[in-house]
Each structure stands twice: as structure tokens, then as C-alpha cells.
């Protein structure tokens, strides 16, 4: 078992763009193991000496692993946390992986205000975030859940609007999409299971403090 | 896929307890019922459904959307109970208002919440719990925590921890600082969601003093043993929070007398998600289960919402969560014994019935074969069904 083992700390890392900086950051505070890389064939990578285990999961699944206590702690983007709304501790903003969740439309479709877009179709990987955002704006939309290449949807008439994450906005420009509203800024977050946070408090809190110090010292440089 | 095969479904969030699981549940529940009785608690049973307006008394609005609701013949809205504390507060304030306090009540029952199923919690789930009504102060709260520890030990769990918090500690700090109602609400929501990043961002924008921000930011991380209480005492300046810390210290010193202090520590960030708590609150955890096993605390105003002033405290333990934790930790539940399998042949059934009756009267669990069997068949049945012994009767006229 993983988190049932009180001696070990199980850390979940997400595949994708947050993986490398996460491994890098943790290794700087001495939380590491040999062979932690994204293409690892091993599903659970242990460091017997430091009593840590790493598991590598799909991004969208990571909060679930932590919520159920299959992993004690993890690193994941705020965008995923907003979408999944799992009951986990969000302990620290790690500052890297900055992107923003936003609403965009084809330039030709631009309207004066958000409510003018009511009842249009929204393509997104983040149906819950999109639903919440438009509800708070007081408008109803038809949400279409996709798993990737969201920009394609308005080009081929699957949807009029998209809700997606962007880093630089270049993809938007290339596809003649215009950002009309920002929903949330997102960076990588350090999260913990609510029971692990109590039962392994000293270790987890120690890591958080180390990470905080590290981030502050990097900030100053 | 096969066509026209009817596979009956059960609704989302419900489950069957097949014989093995039902047996485990029964063993644990009986043992807990005996434990509660040994501590002087009386069992109570209330209706599975009540009027929604009754169940809505004193609970916060988040609970209502998660209740299963329906209508009676007169179109009044009914709801399945989502916990037992509100129904028991109703009973205490009405049917038992003349009874001498303290009231010590326990229950073993199912409750219903329409929410995403979690580990060891479906929409219908089982709770064992107690309520101690009519007494304010640390002696009653200490009894709750001590009984919660005993309940966990009683189920067979060895490795667990109970964390104590005090909601007044948090309220005192919030009141000490000049927060608008909106800010107060936002801060509380962040704490409830365990969103420490959001909390920090909100505090940075709040215009509070650095010191104020710091203490509010630290609340979710105030975790430790007695020395942490001591240190925290010097961090706060308001009488309400200080009184809350004194209250915890008094409870803890009684827990030492109960001999359960080694299972207990403090976590001042605990805010149970029900709004009715007014004092000490606690949660119980065990390794390998990502969710708390038990929880409870003091709720001095809930009974008053039904018209009678009555301080009260209590806790509930999730039965399925206990079972799940035991399974994960490899702890066997002592199953009910299966003693004797009786096989028979020829004309021997009347004799077999007689023997079965005698053995059953003597307290043995006995399964009687309903068809004649050869000795080999009977032996195979006994072993397959897990009975300790075989009694084979043949050759009677």
C-alpha cells in the first residue's frame, strides 16, 4: 500500500509540462529518487533511504489520487484543481507553469459584452470551470467537452466559443481567436491529502517550509 | 452484446452488503452498541424521513441541496435524514424535555446525503454515534473524545489519531481583526476548502495588519501537542481565542486521566463543515484511508433552535470507513462462528431435526441439510460452507 505506510511519503507528479520543473524543484530540497523521469516504465519509484515514493499520473487524475490518499502529496496546476474540485489541501503556490484560463472567440464573432454570447456553444477541456464562469455571469451556454485541440472547434463550426488555458496567446493569434475574458490565473500548486496532512504533518510541513524558502531565495536572485 | 437481458440496477450511491460484509458490519455494530451501553448511553431510533423544515433547523444552507427530498400526500416536503444530530436535537427539545439531564443517547443507523460517493461513503451510509446533552464544559467534551478513542479501539483499529480543534479559537481571531462580513465569509470558505493559497491571496488584499494576516494564515497549520497550545496562547490577544485554548487544555488534562492522551493531538485548523458547532471539534484519522473515520464536537445552540436551551456534544463514526480501514490494514473482523453442519441419509431427517434443535438450544450455530446426502457429500458441504464440524446421521428408521 502507499499512504497506509506511515514511514513513507508518496508523491504524485503529473505527466506533461509540469513534470520536469516539479522533479527539479523537489530535488533541490532533497526530495528525489533515481530514475524519476516521465517515460519511466516503473509505476512506483521508491527511494528506500529517504523513505519517499513517486507515482506519475495523468494530470486530470492527480487530484483524485491525492484526495483518496493513494498519494500523500502532489504537484498540479491550479486549472486542474479548479476543474476537478477535489477535497485536498492546497498548500503552496509554486509559481511555475504560469498560464491563464480564459474565454476566446473568433475575431469575427466578437460582441460588446459577455451576456451577448448567451446560449452559444462553448468547446472546452474544462466543462466545470466553464459552466461555473458563465453561471456566475448569469448566462446559460451549451458546453461541449473536448479532450484537446480546442482551437479547432470554432474553425469547423463545432462551437462558437472556447474556454481553454493559454500561456503566451500565440496559438490564439495564429487561429484568429480573441481573448474576451480571463477566468483565472493558474500556476503549479503543492497539494496534500487531508488525512496525510494530519498524520504526516511534520514531514509535509517540513517540505512546504523548504519549498517556501527555496522559492523566496530564487525570487531574490 | 446480448439483447434483452434484464440486469436490474441499484441507484447511484447505494450498495448491497452481501453476507460476508453484512456479518462484519453486524459484528462491529453489536460491539459498539455494547460499548456505548457500558458508558451509560441509551439507544434511540428516530424516523428515517422527517419534514424538510425540521431537518433544516440550525443547519447551514449547504446541507439542504444534498438531502433526498420528496412529498407526502399533502404536498409537504419530506427529506431523508442526512445526519442524526438534528433529529436527536429535536427529540431532546420535545419528547425528552422533561427528562433529567444529562441525556446520553446512542444510535446505529443509516443516513443519506446526495453527494459524490467517496471512499467508504456512498449516498446511503451507516453511522454509529452518541450525543451527550445538557452539560456544558470540558467534562462532557472529554467524555466524547475518550469514548471515540474507545470506539476505535473496540473495532480493532490500533493505529489512529484524534485531532482536537476549537471553532471559537478561529472566531475569536476573526472578530479581533476588522473584517467586513464578506471578507470574513471568504476567509472561512478558503479555510473550509483547505485552500491556503487562496487564503494568502485574500489576506494580502484585505488591508489587515501584517500581524493579523500572519495569524490568520497560520490557523490551518497550527498542529501539534501541548507545547503548540502553549506557543499559540502567546500569539493571540483576544479573550475568546484564549478561552478556547484553555478549554482545550482542560479537556486534554481529563483525557490524560482517561488514559487516552497518546491518541490525541491538536489541530486548530479543524473546521467541521457543519455550521452548528460552537466549541471543541474533533476528527479521527487512520493511515491508508484518505478521509476522516469519525468526527464530532460541541453544538450548544442547535437544541435551542428547537426552543429549549440545552448545551450538547457528540460524535459519529462511519461504519463503512471503519470496515475499509480494517481491510486495508489487514485486521480481521471476528466473524460469527459456524459450528456444525448436519448431513443425513435415508429416513434420518426427523432424528436430524431433533439433534439440530438440541444443538441450537445449546447455543451452537447449526445448518441442517434439506436433502439426503452421502457421508462424502456431507463432508464436502461442511467444508465448502465453512462449518467447524460435521454431524452425520444415517440408518434411522
Amino acid at each position: 500500500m502507499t499512504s497506509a505506510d506511515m514511514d513513507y511519503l508518496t508523491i504524485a507528479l503529473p505527466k506533461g509540462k509540469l513534470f520536469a520543473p516539479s522533479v527539479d524543484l523537489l530535488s533541490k530540497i532533497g526530495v528525489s529518487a533515481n530514475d524519476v523521469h516521465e517515460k519511466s516504465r516503473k509505476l512506483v519509484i521508491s527511494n528506500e533511504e529517504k523513505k519517499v515514493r513517486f507515482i506519475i499520473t495523468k494530470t486530470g487524475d492527480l487530484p483524485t489520487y491525492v484526495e483518496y490518499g493513494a498519494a500523500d502529496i502532489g504537484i498540479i496546476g491550479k486549472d486542474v484543481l479548479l476543474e476537478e474540485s477535489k477535497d485536498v489541501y492546497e498548500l503552496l503556490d509554486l509559481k511555475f507553469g504560469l498560464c491563464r484560463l480564459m474565454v476566446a472567440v473568433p475575431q469575427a464573432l466578437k460582441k460588446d459584452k459577455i451576456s451577448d454570447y448567451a446560449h452559444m456553444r462553448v468547446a472546452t477541456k474544462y466543462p466545470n470551470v466553464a459552466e461555473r464562469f458563465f453561471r456566475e455571469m448569469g448566462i446559460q451556454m451549451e458546453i461541449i467537452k473536448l479532450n484537446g485541440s480546442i482551437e479547432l472547434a470554432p474553425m469547423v463550426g463545432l462551437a462558437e466559443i472556447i474556454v481553454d488555458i493559454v500561456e503566451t496567446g500565440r496559438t490564439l493569434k495564429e487561429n484568429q481567436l480573441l481573448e474576451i475574458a480571463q477566468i483565472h490565473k493558474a500556476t503549479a500548486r503543492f497539494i496534500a491529502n487531508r488525512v496525510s496532512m494530519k498524520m504526516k504533518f511534520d514531514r509535509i510541513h517540513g517540505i512546504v517550509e523548504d519549498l517556501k524558502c527555496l522559492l523566496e531565495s530564487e525570487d531574490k536572485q | 452484446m446480448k439483447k434483452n437481458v434484464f440486469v436490474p440496477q441499484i441507484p447511484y450511491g447505494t450498495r448491497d452488503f452481501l453476507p460476508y460484509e453484512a456479518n462484519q458490519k453486524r459484528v462491529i455494530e453489536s460491539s459498539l452498541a455494547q460499548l456505548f451501553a457500558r458508558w451509560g448511553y441509551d439507544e434511540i431510533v428516530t424516523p428515517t424521513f422527517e419534514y424538510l423544515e425540521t431537518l433544516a433547523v440550525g443547519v447551514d444552507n449547504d446541507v439542504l441541496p444534498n438531502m433526498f427530498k420528496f412529498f407526502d400526500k399533502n404536498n409537504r416536503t419530506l427529506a431523508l435524514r442526512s445526519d442524526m444530530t438534528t433529529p436527536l436535537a429535536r427529540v431532546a427539545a420535545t419528547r425528552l424535555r422533561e427528562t433529567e439531564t444529562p441525556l446520553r443517547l446512542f444510535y446505529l443507523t443509516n443516513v443519506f446525503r446526495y453527494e459524490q460517493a467517496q471512499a467508504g461513503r456512498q449516498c446511503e451510509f451507516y453511522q454509529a454515534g452518541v450525543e451527550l446533552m445538557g452539560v456544558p464544559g470540558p467534562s462532557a467534551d472529554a467524555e466524547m473524545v475518550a469514548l471515540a478513542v474507545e470506539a476505535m479501539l473496540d473495532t480493532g483499529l490500533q493505529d489512529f489519531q484524534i485531532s482536537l480543534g476549537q471553532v471559537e479559537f478561529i472566531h475569536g481571531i476573526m472578530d479581533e481583526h476588522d473584517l467586513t462580513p464578506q471578507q470574513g465569509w471568504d476567509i472561512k470558505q478558503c479555510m473550509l476548502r483547505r485552500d491556503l493559497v487562496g487564503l494568502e491571496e485574500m489576506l494580502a488584499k484585505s488591508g489587515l495588519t501584517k500581524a493579523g494576516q500572519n495569524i490568520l494564515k497560520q490557523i490551518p497549520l497550527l498542529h501539534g501537542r501541548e507545547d503548540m497550545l502553549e506557543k499559540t496562547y502567546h500569539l493571540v490577544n483576544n479573550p475568546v481565542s484564549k478561552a478556547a485554548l484553555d478549554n482545550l487544555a482542560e479537556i486534554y488534562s481529563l483525557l490524560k486521566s482517561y488514559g487516552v492522551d497518546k491518541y490525541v493531538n491538536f489541530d486548530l485548523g479543524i473546521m467541521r463543515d457543519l455550521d452548528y458547532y460552537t466549541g471543541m471539534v474533533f476528527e479521527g484519522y487512520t493511515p491508508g484511508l484518505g478521509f476522516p473515520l469519525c468526527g464530532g464536537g460541541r453544538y450548544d445552540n442547535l437544541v435551542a433552535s428547537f426552543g429549549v436551551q440545552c448545551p450538547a456534544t457528540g460524535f459519529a463514526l462511519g461504519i463503512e470507513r471503519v470496515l475499509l480501514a480494517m481491510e486495508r490494514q489487514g485486521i480481521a473482523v471476528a466473524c460469527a462462528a459456524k459450528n456444525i453442519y448436519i448431513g443425513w441419509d435415508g429416513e434420518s431427517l426427523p432424528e436430524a431435526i431433533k439433534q439440530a434443535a438440541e444443538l441450537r438450544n445449546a447455543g451452537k450455530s447449526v445448518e441442517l441439510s434439506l436433502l439426503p446426502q452421502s457421508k462424502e457429500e456431507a463432508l464436502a458441504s461442511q467444508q465448502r460452507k465453512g462449518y467447524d464440524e460435521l454431524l452425520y446421521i444415517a440408518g434411522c428408521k
Side-chain angles (χ1 to χ4, degrees):
Chain A
M1 268 309 294
T2 45
S3 70
D5 193 338
M6 284 296 285
D7 294 339
Y8 275 83
L9 200 62
T10 304
I11 304 169
L13 298 174
K15 288 183 179 164
K17 66 184 167 94
L18 295 184
F19 182 82
S22 302
V23 173
D24 187 44
L25 194 68
L26 287 172
S27 70
K28 279 186 193 157
I29 58 159
V31 179
S32 61
N34 289 332
D35 304 329
V36 181
H37 49 80
E38 221 179 334
K39 300 271 174 337
S40 170
R41 297 239 172 164
K42 273 200 230 159
L43 296 174
V44 179
I45 305 151
S46 301
N47 181 339
E48 306 292 332
E49 183 202 341
K50 295 253 171 82
K51 302 279 184 213
V52 289
R53 290 198 187 101
F54 289 88
I55 60 172
I56 301 166
T57 76
K58 280 196 77 158
T59 47
D61 297 339
L62 194 138
T64 308
Y65 279 86
V66 176
E67 185 188 40
Y68 273 70
D72 296 304
I73 55 177
I75 292 177
I76 189 66
K78 179 68 178 172
D79 53 320
V80 180
L81 288 176
L82 286 168
E83 176 61 21
E84 301 292 325
S85 349
K86 297 290 180 190
D87 190 0
V88 295
Y89 270 94
E90 188 179 326
L91 291 170
L92 192 61
D93 182 351
L94 299 173
K95 312 281 187 197
F96 64 85
L98 177 67
C99 58
R100 54 187 198 278
L101 271 161
M102 54 90 236
V103 189
V105 293
Q107 276 157 8
L109 268 178
K110 182 169 182 338
K111 313 257 188 218
D112 289 343
K113 47 189 195 300
I114 284 275
S115 55
D116 294 336
Y117 297 99
H119 301 291
M120 288 188 180
R121 292 168 299 173
V122 185
T124 184
K125 257 201 295 193
Y126 300 90
N128 296 325
V129 171
E131 163 77 36
R132 228 174 12 238
F133 174 76
F134 289 113
R135 194 176 51 221
E136 278 164 16
M137 292 284 156
I139 56 178
Q140 290 179 328
M141 305 295 277
E142 187 181 329
I143 310 263
I144 299 172
K145 157 95 205 245
L146 296 178
N147 290 304
S149 307
I150 309 297
E151 322 71 53
L152 179 61
M155 290 171 75
V156 294
L158 176 61
E160 285 82 25
I161 302 186
I162 66 166
V163 166
D164 204 5
I165 47 168
V166 294
E167 276 170 74
T168 57
R170 211 178 62 218
T171 322
L172 289 183
K173 270 202 198 97
E174 281 169 7
N175 293 297
Q176 280 91 52
L177 290 163
L178 199 68
E179 181 174 337
I180 55 168
Q182 178 172 304
I183 301 177
H184 214 287
K185 269 210 177 101
T187 45
R189 303 293 159 95
F190 184 82
I191 63 171
N193 172 267
R194 60 186 284 205
V195 172
S196 303
M197 186 64 195
K198 311 290 180 192
M199 297 205 75
K200 303 179 183 177
F201 181 84
D202 291 337
R203 272 195 90 177
I204 295 176
H205 189 237
I207 292 179
V208 172
E209 289 300 308
D210 289 350
L211 286 171
K212 252 187 210 163
C213 289
L214 180 68
L215 291 173
E216 273 164 23
S217 72
E218 283 183 352
D219 225 22
K220 281 184 195 133
Q221 279 167 22
Chain B
M1 244 175 83
K2 279 192 212 157
K3 268 189 178 167
N4 298 330
V5 180
F6 175 60
V7 183
Q9 305 280 318
I10 59 173
Y12 176 81
T14 61
R15 64 170 289 191
D16 296 312
F17 285 82
L18 297 178
Y20 174 70
E21 295 142 359
N23 182 30
Q24 289 189 316
K25 175 171 169 291
R26 171 73 63 192
V27 169
I28 286 194
E29 286 180 345
S30 324
S31 175
L32 286 171
Q34 285 169 19
L35 172 75
F36 295 151
R38 283 202 300 279
W39 281 62
Y41 287 73
D42 297 317
E43 184 165 10
I44 188 161
V45 177
T46 67
T48 305
F49 55 89
E50 297 200 29
Y51 290 119
L52 176 64
E53 65 203 57
T54 312
L55 293 179
V57 170
V59 303
D60 122 63
N61 289 334
D62 293 353
V63 178
L64 295 181
N66 288 334
M67 285 190 185
F68 284 87
K69 302 176 204 75
F70 47 105
F71 299 110
D72 71 1
K73 267 202 298 196
N74 301 319
N75 275 331
R76 289 186 70 179
T77 315
L78 307 174
L80 299 180
R81 59 182 172 223
S82 68
D83 73 4
M84 277 296 278
T85 306
T86 308
L88 290 200
R90 171 186 61 76
V91 172
T94 54
R95 308 287 303 277
L96 295 175
R97 67 190 305 168
E98 312 280 287
T99 316
E100 192 191 336
T101 54
L103 277 173
R104 284 189 168 84
L105 302 171
F106 84 83
Y107 55 86
L108 290 157
T109 193
N110 48 354
V111 297
F112 307 83
R113 288 180 204 166
Y114 194 79
E115 56 188 42
Q116 178 73 39
Q118 307 166 342
R121 178 179 289 182
Q122 304 280 316
C123 294
E124 177 184 20
F125 59 100
Y126 289 83
Q127 287 188 329
V130 302
E131 312 289 349
L132 172 45
M133 295 168 162
V135 188
S139 61
D141 289 319
E143 179 165 317
M144 276 311 96
V145 178
L147 186 49
V149 170
E150 293 299 335
M152 305 267 252
L153 288 171
D154 186 74
T155 62
L157 289 171
Q158 301 287 328
D159 195 1
F160 62 85
Q161 171 192 312
I162 295 216
S163 293
L164 303 189
Q166 231 285 10
V167 294
E168 284 289 284
F169 172 76
I170 301 174
H171 292 153
I173 293 178
M174 305 250 290
D175 292 344
E176 184 187 331
H177 297 96
D178 277 331
L179 298 167
T180 63
Q182 181 64 41
Q183 282 176 330
W185 194 84
D186 288 343
I187 287 174
K188 217 172 147 188
Q189 288 306 307
C190 280
M191 290 184 184
L192 275 171
R193 282 203 312 269
R194 299 171 239 287
D195 178 2
L196 276 56
V197 177
L199 180 64
E200 190 164 348
E201 284 168 2
M202 193 148 342
L203 289 169
K205 283 187 291 193
S206 67
L208 286 182
T209 59
K210 264 269 165 311
Q213 290 189 28
N214 267 336
I215 180 80
L216 280 162
K217 218 158 60 179
Q218 270 185 51
I219 291 173
L221 299 172
L222 291 170
H223 179 104
R225 305 199 81 92
E226 274 177 302
D227 51 327
M228 186 278 292
L229 282 193
E230 196 90 357
K231 268 189 241 155
T232 309
Y233 203 86
H234 301 292
L235 283 178
V236 293
N237 298 315
N238 70 84
V240 177
S241 298
K242 282 191 190 283
L245 294 173
D246 287 337
N247 174 248
L248 285 179
E250 281 176 67
I251 293 168
Y252 192 70
S253 83
L254 291 173
L255 291 175
K256 284 182 184 162
S257 307
Y258 278 106
V260 299
D261 50 307
K262 68 172 170 168
Y263 298 103
V264 178
N265 64 16
F266 300 99
D267 192 307
L268 299 173
I270 293 178
M271 299 177 82
R272 306 276 301 151
D273 40 12
L274 292 166
D275 240 6
Y276 51 59
Y277 290 108
T278 55
M280 177 218 60
V281 285
F282 69 94
E283 286 180 343
Y285 315 103
T286 189
L289 191 73
F291 300 88
L293 271 178
C294 71
R298 176 161 286 283
Y299 53 99
D300 283 346
N301 301 329
L302 184 61
V303 187
S305 322
F306 288 100
V308 179
Q309 270 305 331
C310 179
T313 178
F315 78 91
L317 181 70
I319 298 290
E320 289 97 324
R321 288 196 169 160
V322 169
L323 289 171
L324 193 64
M326 293 179 73
E327 186 195 312
R328 293 198 176 160
Q329 292 172 24
I331 302 166
V333 180
C335 286
K338 289 191 161 200
N339 300 127
I340 298 159
Y341 181 84
I342 301 182
W344 52 274
D345 198 6
E347 307 286 309
S348 304
L349 181 58
E351 176 59 22
I353 291 174
K354 218 173 92 192
Q355 297 249 1
E358 277 170 22
L359 287 165
R360 284 170 183 153
N361 284 339
K364 302 283 183 198
S365 67
V366 179
E367 180 171 336
L368 173 62
S369 171
L370 298 174
L371 294 169
Q373 286 176 307
S374 71
K375 183 140 194 199
E376 289 69 37
E377 285 166 352
L379 193 66
S381 295
Q382 173 232 329
Q383 282 165 359
R384 197 176 57 244
K385 289 162 183 270
Y387 282 88
D388 299 338
E389 286 171 49
L390 170 68
L391 176 62
Y392 190 70
I393 304 167
C396 301
K397 287 279 175 231

